[in-house]
Amino acid sequence: MHRSLLSRSIAVASALALLAVPLQAAPALADPNKPVTVMTRNIYLGADIQRPIRATAGLTGAAAFVALGNANHVTRAIVDQTNFPRRSELLAAEIAGTKPDLIGVQEVALWRHGPLELPGAGSPGALNATTVDYDFLAILLQDLRQAGVPYKAVVVQQESDVEAPAFVGNPFTGTATQGRDVRLTVRDVVLLRAGSNLRVLDSGSGQYDAKLVLSVGGLPASFVRGFNWVDVAHGSGRSFRFVNTHLEAFSSDLALAQAVELLTGPAGDRGRTTIIGCDCNSDPLNNTVKPTDPLRTPHNGPYNFITGPGGFTDLWLTWRPAAQGWTSGLNETVDEPAPPSFDHRIDMIFARPAPGEQVRVVAGDVTGATSAAKDPVTGLWPSDHAGVVLTLSR
């Protein structure tokens, strides 16, 4: 049977060589009408980064430094507890089950440490901790390869990059232990599946001008958000832009300002079909106002801007009801019992077709939100968010 198939293949190849030499030289073109699967996935940086801010509220000087160091120690210990190497395996299995062509990934953390720097002995807060503890991007890419679905990072955008002391006790009284500086670098990444029929045409990224400025121990500290995008085509077929972003969580005023920057920038061309994967931090069903927002932007303000003046459609709602799409609400240690306490929806996939085109959902799911997603050994969920994956026909 193998000889017969081989002979037949040789005969077909010979016929093509004689009758259609140009066809033999031309590469096969991907089907421009084949559906595309996209995903938005917040993979959780591993702990509540507001803890040091709360701990130092109203404090200055040595008292603030001690409170900051102790809070950072607790925060960093929780990062170990939430065990990204194991959660990455869960995420890789989740992605292998849906095989998105493109994934917008948020909170792709890089955790590092270095020697403890005390006031007056170096530069506390300087970005010089270089020993890598967890590189979430490298870990996830390796696990995806091992799961048989390799991806490549098309665009990596660095957002916040902060370093601070972490210790137990008080270094000023000689009682501090486990002292070190801890550094967190947050990135947003667009992943493209190896073997996808999408062809990359262009890509880019940037940080928002609107950013959260906080007081930590009486000193200002900025928390930066941003975006990245990739233009892709099916072979020689029609192209579209896929945008990945993570809007501000702690201020709806700033999240709205960032949405305006996004829709007047990389997602502003109405002549191009654009798809946005977003941890928007904006629940369409929540119109409450954060007490620290002077402009009184409601929680759903950024969502309403994107789907209103922005002209984008919330694709999940064209597929399933909102209540079937909850994506957020898990506890800090992501180990709560099943079923998970997802109780609101802030992870979205939006689309705005170019004139004369359409974007239609033909399949979709919320991932990482059923009991099967929870690790039976560690009790961990893949993330404090669920993922959203949609297959789109154009």
Side-chain angles (χ1 to χ4, degrees):
M1 186 171 84
H2 291 299
R3 273 200 206 98
S4 174
L5 288 172
L6 179 60
S7 300
R8 192 178 308 161
S9 299
I10 292 172
V12 170
S14 300
L16 286 173
L18 290 171
L19 299 177
V21 172
L23 291 177
Q24 186 183 40
L29 295 178
D31 179 5
N33 297 313
K34 183 178 179 180
V36 174
T37 301
V38 299
M39 184 182 204
T40 182
R41 196 64 175 99
N42 183 318
I43 62 174
Y44 183 42
L45 54 80
D48 178 6
I49 57 174
Q50 287 197 81
R51 179 178 287 103
I53 300 168
R54 294 192 299 267
T56 59
L59 301 177
T60 58
F65 188 87
V66 171
L68 176 65
N70 281 267
N72 280 335
H73 175 81
V74 173
T75 301
R76 182 59 186 76
I78 292 173
V79 173
D80 290 336
Q81 181 181 343
T82 56
N83 192 354
F84 185 75
R86 178 57 189 137
R87 292 195 294 110
S88 176
E89 294 173 340
L90 303 177
L91 288 162
E94 176 186 315
I95 291 168
T98 54
K99 296 182 176 63
D101 295 284
L102 288 165
I103 311 175
V105 194
Q106 306 94 32
E107 294 194 24
V108 187
L110 173 59
W111 287 96
R112 289 174 278 187
H113 76 271
L116 176 66
E117 294 179 330
L118 299 176
S123 303
L127 299 176
N128 52 17
T130 57
T131 301
V132 175
D133 298 314
Y134 304 109
D135 183 339
F136 283 20
L137 179 57
I139 294 168
L140 180 59
L141 289 176
Q142 179 180 351
D143 287 336
L144 286 168
R145 286 193 298 271
Q146 292 180 345
V149 284
Y151 280 76
K152 61 180 178 180
V154 182
V155 195
V156 179
Q157 173 59 42
Q158 179 177 300
E159 312 302 357
S160 288
D161 190 7
V162 294
E163 182 175 334
F167 49 80
V168 176
N170 186 339
F172 302 112
T173 60
T175 60
T177 61
Q178 304 180 55
R180 58 179 174 169
D181 272 13
V182 170
R183 182 176 178 183
L184 168 63
T185 308
V186 183
R187 300 159 296 178
D188 296 325
V189 181
V190 175
L191 299 180
L192 173 68
R193 181 170 53 81
S196 169
N197 67 346
L198 297 180
R199 179 166 53 93
V200 175
L201 304 175
D202 198 5
S203 62
S205 63
Q207 296 177 339
Y208 293 118
D209 292 330
K211 57 178 65 73
L212 184 67
V213 178
L214 303 166
S215 176
V216 181
L219 299 175
S222 295
F223 200 79
V224 181
R225 306 279 186 177
F227 56 84
N228 40 28
W229 55 267
V230 58
D231 291 339
V232 293
H234 288 197
S236 63
R238 294 172 297 176
S239 66
F240 67 92
R241 174 165 290 185
F242 179 73
V243 181
N244 173 45
T245 192
H246 189 183
L247 302 182
E248 182 52 59
F250 307 124
S251 167
S252 294
D253 283 354
L254 288 173
L256 177 57
Q258 292 166 355
V260 171
E261 287 186 52
L262 186 70
L263 269 59
T264 54
D269 185 356
R270 292 178 180 259
R272 171 197 290 120
T273 293
T274 302
I275 298 166
I276 299 175
C278 178
D279 176 355
C280 294
N281 282 308
S282 181
D283 179 359
L285 300 180
N286 183 352
N287 62 2
T288 63
V289 175
K290 295 179 176 69
T292 54
D293 274 341
L295 299 181
R296 310 294 294 168
T297 301
H299 198 287
N300 56 13
Y303 175 93
N304 291 339
F305 173 76
I306 294 169
T307 57
F312 281 85
T313 297
D314 178 351
L315 290 178
W316 179 260
L317 295 184
T318 71
W319 176 248
R320 291 291 184 267
Q324 294 181 23
W326 303 145
T327 63
S328 184
L330 251 60
N331 64 351
E332 179 185 15
T333 50
V334 292
D335 59 355
E336 61 185 56
S341 60
F342 294 123
D343 57 7
H344 60 289
R345 193 170 67 97
I346 58 175
D347 301 270
M348 317 285 184
I349 296 176
F350 300 106
R352 188 181 62 204
E357 295 189 12
Q358 64 173 353
V359 175
R360 184 170 59 90
V361 179
V362 296
D365 199 7
V366 168
T367 61
T370 67
S371 299
K374 184 178 170 68
D375 180 31
V377 177
T378 64
L380 295 172
W381 295 91
S383 173
D384 64 340
H385 285 241
V388 180
V389 58
L390 298 176
T391 299
L392 310 176
S393 172
R394 297 180 62 210

